[in-house]
Amino acid sequence: MSMNLPPRPRPCLRCWFAVGLIAAAVIASFVYLGIDYSALGSAESLRLMGKFIAEFFPPDMSPDFLAKVGNGALQTLAVSALGTVLAALAGAVLALPASGRAGGLPRHVARFILNFLRSVPELVWAALMVLAAGIGPFAGALALALHTTGVLGRLFAEALENAPREPEHALMLAGAGPVTAFSYASLPIVLPQWVAYTLYRWEMNIRMAAVLGFVGGGGLGQLLYFHLSIFQQQQAMTVLIAMFVLVTLVDFASARLRRGLGPAYA
């Protein structure tokens, strides 16, 4: 008895071409950088790396230094929280015109602002804010707020575009004003997703807030930069451990909160 076998799929020439281009780009990058991998893996290099790592142990666990690290961790947490809250508020304001609710021209202007804000990295914003507001946590919070506004505003706008408009139109036909119709119809639909996006960005901003200290943004990053610059590796190791603990706790708390927002993933 003969069986009708399904035809074999044709090879994806475009896929193979793309893979070949990526492989060629990777190989060309290694050749262009000219890294001496034999020296990197030599016995002398391994010995020096082992010696450098050993200088980080044991970490400094003195009460005075732990108190300083704890203060830096709280500062990092505050910077990330303040920057995320400011970004969520500004992103929500810009998301309304960016979603096309105010017409074509406001939509293009709002999207241009959002694209510009998120195209500039946080470290660049932090360097600019340090010049504008001075060295400290306020500059770090402003830098996070500016970049994250561009990210959250775009995500909020897309959520609004994908939300059904029928409930809002029904309320407006019943005599409700535009603000009332949006608040009672569209906003409850997109709000869980907005909160989920904000919590996820807060996770990322915790990590970035720890890095912004290297350019004067305060918190654990500034503490780490200070002790590494004067070759106090044991103190730097304590700061690194504090960073890991802080990020882990925030990731866990944020994930638990986001799992409670079931409609945000619908």
Side-chain angles (χ1 to χ4, degrees):
M1 182 175 63
S2 62
M3 298 179 62
N4 294 326
L5 298 176
R8 297 180 60 184
R10 298 177 60 184
C12 179
L13 298 179
R14 186 177 298 176
C15 300
W16 283 109
F17 180 72
V19 171
L21 283 179
I22 294 173
V26 172
I27 295 172
S29 299
F30 278 100
V31 174
Y32 176 76
L33 293 175
I35 301 175
D36 188 358
Y37 293 98
S38 60
L40 183 64
S42 65
E44 180 64 15
S45 297
L46 294 176
R47 185 187 68 81
L48 293 176
M49 284 188 286
K51 179 183 177 182
F52 176 72
I53 293 173
E55 292 175 351
F56 284 84
F57 296 93
D60 186 353
M61 293 297 177
S62 61
D64 290 341
F65 188 71
L66 287 179
K68 184 187 297 185
V69 172
N71 182 63
L74 290 176
Q75 197 173 86
T76 297
L77 185 65
V79 166
S80 66
L82 178 60
T84 305
V85 169
L86 293 176
L89 295 175
V93 172
L94 290 172
L96 295 175
S99 63
R101 291 172 173 266
L105 181 59
R107 179 177 185 271
H108 292 303
V109 172
R111 285 185 174 263
F112 174 80
I113 295 173
L114 294 175
N115 289 337
F116 173 75
L117 290 175
R118 74 171 180 273
S119 67
V120 180
E122 294 96 328
L123 285 173
V124 177
W125 278 125
L128 295 174
M129 291 303 102
V130 165
L131 295 176
I135 295 176
F138 185 58
L142 289 178
L144 286 178
L146 288 169
H147 179 81
T148 309
T149 295
V151 176
L152 289 180
R154 179 61 183 271
L155 293 173
F156 290 175
E158 291 181 353
L160 277 176
E161 288 179 345
N162 296 327
R165 298 290 297 273
E166 288 79 7
E168 187 175 345
H169 290 158
L171 286 179
M172 294 180 67
L173 290 175
V179 176
T180 302
F182 174 78
S183 302
Y184 285 94
S186 296
L187 185 59
I189 296 174
V190 300
L191 188 58
Q193 195 169 6
W194 283 12
V195 174
Y197 285 145
T198 303
L199 289 172
Y200 181 66
R201 285 301 308 185
W202 184 40
E203 293 181 23
M204 302 178 68
N205 284 344
I206 280 285
R207 301 178 182 90
M208 185 50 61
V211 176
L212 292 183
F214 279 82
V215 291
L220 290 175
Q222 192 165 333
L223 198 61
L224 178 63
Y225 175 75
F226 171 76
H227 288 288
L228 284 177
S229 63
I230 58 176
F231 304 103
Q232 292 182 345
Q233 279 87 341
Q234 294 179 340
Q235 287 76 13
M237 187 64 191
T238 305
V239 178
L240 289 173
I241 293 173
M243 285 183 176
F244 173 76
V245 172
L246 181 62
V247 169
T248 301
L249 291 176
V250 171
D251 284 357
F252 177 76
S254 177
R256 290 291 299 271
L257 290 172
R258 285 188 287 113
R259 275 200 296 268
L261 299 171
Y265 301 98

